[in-house]
Amino acid sequence: MIQIYHNPRCSKSRQGLAIVEASGQTFEVIKYLDNPPSTTEMEGLLTKLNMAPEALIRKGEAIWKEQFKGKDLDHSALVDALCTHPKLIERPIVVNGDKAVVGRPPEAINDVL
């Protein structure tokens, strides 16, 4: 089943959700700010995205600048930051089977539908 990691307050995430809805496929909405991914789930997402954790971090967020910017963080510390502070996760993320994509731009979601 298709999953979308969604933040309703984000316009790109809302655009991504509209693309998934328009596909006519069954999907699950995961409001990751309310239910942050576990470390295991985040590692699985990164594998499906074929991304390093740093590439998934929203570096413009205040929490990144205040707590993490300029620090030498290893893979597990970055994954922990994403799980502990889900606001740092780039969005939306759409997962379909063993593939996933960050919907930036939203049209990229079509690659996994």
Side-chain angles (χ1 to χ4, degrees):
M1 176 192 312
I2 295 169
Q3 298 173 310
I4 180 168
Y5 287 76
H6 177 58
N7 177 353
R9 297 183 67 190
C10 171
S11 64
K12 296 290 185 201
S13 194
R14 290 191 305 270
Q15 290 172 18
L17 180 60
I19 290 169
V20 173
E21 288 172 335
S23 77
Q25 299 183 55
T26 303
F27 65 94
E28 172 187 15
V29 175
I30 299 170
K31 293 184 180 176
Y32 66 92
L33 293 177
D34 298 334
N35 187 20
S38 68
T39 301
T40 303
E41 290 168 331
M42 180 55 66
E43 290 286 4
L45 275 174
L46 290 167
T47 298
K48 290 175 183 180
L49 288 163
N50 194 28
M51 293 175 98
E54 188 168 6
L56 195 58
I57 292 174
R58 297 172 52 84
K59 294 181 181 73
E61 292 290 339
I63 197 159
W64 175 260
K65 293 175 183 176
E66 294 164 6
Q67 294 187 27
F68 303 103
K69 186 177 180 180
K71 294 184 179 178
D72 186 22
L73 302 171
D74 66 9
H75 179 93
S76 63
L78 291 168
V79 169
D80 185 57
L82 287 164
C83 295
T84 304
H85 305 284
K87 193 173 185 180
L88 292 175
I89 300 171
E90 190 61 76
R91 69 227 177 205
I93 299 171
V94 176
V95 179
N96 189 0
D98 62 352
K99 294 189 231 170
V101 68
V102 175
R104 297 264 175 175
E107 295 78 21
I109 292 169
N110 290 316
D111 294 343
V112 297
L113 293 180

